[in-house]
Amino acid sequence: MQRVKIFGAGSIGNHLAHASRRLGWEVVVCDVDPRALTRMRDQIYPQRYGAWDDGITLCHNKDAPQGGFDLIAIGTPPDSHLPLALTALHEEPRAILIEKPLCPPSLEHAQEVYDAASESHTHVFVGYDHVVGAASAAVEELLRTNVVGEIVTLDVEFREHWGGIFAAHFWLGGPQDSYLGSWRAGGGASGEHSHALNLWQHFAHVLGAGRVREVSALLHYVEAGGHEYDDQCFIQLRTDNGFTGRVVQDVVTKPHSKRARLQGTNGAVEWVVGYNTAGDAVLILRPGVQTEILQIPKKRPDDFVRELEHIRDAVTSGHNESPITLERGLETMLVVAGVHLSEQMGSVVTIDYSKGFLPTALITNDHEPLPMGNINEPGV
């Protein structure tokens, strides 16, 4: 990787630009709003990282250079992710990174992008960086040693008040000022904290439990500023192989709790983000034995460096085993769509993967596929 183009000069664009520069890559950042580019140069980047980096080129989208990029990263609001990805595929970069959530729950353009990417030589990734983090790697290594016996269930929670998000996006007055205040646009707890759901799916894959097959959800919606978002999202899941567990995502909890618990027959392994000021941790809990704590030192910018290193190595090796592939991201979005349909229909939703990444892949208890438009209809 040598040259990177990033769409979006907001928080994620700054993180990716900084991580790319730490790796010695050339960076171009594009945005449709000149004010966002100025804010990145004069406020966000220097405040976070100490000083502006003149090695970063800023430009309006209409003036963005075309072609010759190794990586194109898309860090814009979710409803623009897939249209930008389709355009990026025409440039034929070695890789595309799309920030999470991949798209709104309507799944518009999802199948189109999957089909286009399948016919391309470009590797497409989705920004669920926690699954390629050091803590996740440590958990996977422990699972291989069978340290707590057979894993029988899995719980993941990302409970975090989104005040921290708005502190990082100081130009926003609250959820009503962006997509975050609309679950239909990919916001709310179900979209913003879908790291938890994706992590559940990742560990289920690691365990050989298969893909999520059944979804049952309970959500609490809030109306604000003409938008509607879920501030609490409780999900029960069952995989192809009958493995079950739970995911909780909310934007109301403080102090935060971001953890996964893999319960085994002889104890449990816990994955914890922000365990202390030093970073993350992995805990080994067994009856009658003192808890083992594996400290994972890191700062938030390190997550993005590790993510970009993972993409670089995956592209260089040519393998398709990455846990942040486009297909994995699309599987997460199918479940997010199923979560809202489950709440709205008061029903368990079954996912039929043979129907592709379309709303018609979501089937209710009466075994009738739901019409394409239902998920966008207010009050459904």
Side-chain angles (χ1 to χ4, degrees), residues 52-313:
W52 172 246
D53 185 343
D54 288 326
I56 300 172
T57 300
L58 302 176
C59 64
H60 193 281
N61 276 19
K62 63 181 176 59
D63 301 319
Q66 302 290 311
F69 288 97
D70 298 296
L71 171 66
I72 296 178
I74 300 170
T76 55
D79 60 358
S80 63
H81 285 175
L82 297 187
L84 283 170
L86 286 168
T87 301
L89 282 167
H90 291 300
E91 293 191 49
E92 300 183 341
R94 298 178 71 190
I96 294 172
L97 170 62
I98 308 170
E99 180 53 17
K100 64 82 199 163
L102 180 60
C103 62
S106 63
L107 301 174
E108 186 175 5
H109 301 299
Q111 187 64 43
E112 183 182 1
V113 169
Y114 178 75
D115 291 341
S118 298
E119 296 171 1
S120 169
H121 294 296
T122 298
H123 299 256
V124 183
F125 303 89
V126 182
Y128 286 109
D129 54 350
H130 286 296
V131 302
V132 294
S136 294
V139 169
E140 292 172 43
E141 182 61 33
L142 287 172
L143 293 177
R144 282 190 283 270
T145 67
N146 204 36
V147 66
V148 293
E150 179 185 359
I151 302 300
V152 294
T153 189
L154 167 62
D155 281 12
V156 182
E157 62 178 31
F158 268 49
R159 295 173 174 263
E160 182 180 35
H161 191 282
W162 55 10
I165 296 172
F166 295 113
H169 298 74
F170 52 85
W171 58 96
L172 301 176
Q176 71 281 355
D177 290 343
S178 77
Y179 77 90
L180 291 167
S182 172
W183 69 264
R184 292 181 179 86
S190 55
E192 182 58 26
H193 286 333
S194 56
H195 275 296
L197 174 57
N198 180 264
L199 188 69
W200 196 100
Q201 292 172 288
H202 170 65
F203 284 140
H205 278 289
V206 170
L207 294 168
R211 297 179 295 190
V212 171
R213 181 65 59 177
E214 295 180 5
V215 182
S216 177
L218 178 67
L219 287 83
H220 179 259
Y221 292 105
V222 175
E223 293 186 14
H227 296 295
E228 184 181 37
Y229 64 88
D230 56 304
D231 67 348
Q232 300 168 61
C233 177
F234 303 88
I235 314 168
Q236 296 182 93
L237 302 166
R238 190 191 312 273
T239 70
D240 295 316
N241 298 345
F243 185 75
T244 58
R246 179 190 65 163
V247 171
V248 180
Q249 300 171 184
D250 76 38
V251 294
V252 301
T253 297
K254 50 185 177 181
H256 73 267
S257 177
K258 295 182 178 180
R259 61 179 60 226
R261 184 182 177 102
L262 297 100
Q263 182 61 52
T265 52
N266 300 321
V269 171
E270 288 196 357
W271 171 104
V272 186
V273 166
Y275 180 74
N276 54 27
T277 57
D280 303 340
V282 173
L283 313 181
I284 305 171
L285 305 99
R286 288 170 290 190
V289 178
Q290 184 174 353
T291 298
E292 293 183 47
I293 303 172
L294 308 179
Q295 184 74 56
I296 312 291
K298 67 149 216 196
K299 301 295 183 184
R300 181 58 173 152
D302 299 331
D303 289 331
F304 298 95
V305 173
R306 188 176 175 98
E307 179 183 37
L308 294 184
E309 288 176 329
H310 172 87
I311 290 171
R312 177 199 62 198
D313 295 345

Side-chain angles (χ1 to χ4, degrees), residues 314-337:
V315 171
T316 301
S317 68
H319 68 73
N320 295 310
E321 299 301 317
S322 167
I324 58 170
T325 59
L326 174 62
E327 185 169 1
R328 291 286 187 92
L330 286 166
E331 288 177 9
T332 295
M333 287 315 306
L334 269 179
V335 178
V336 171

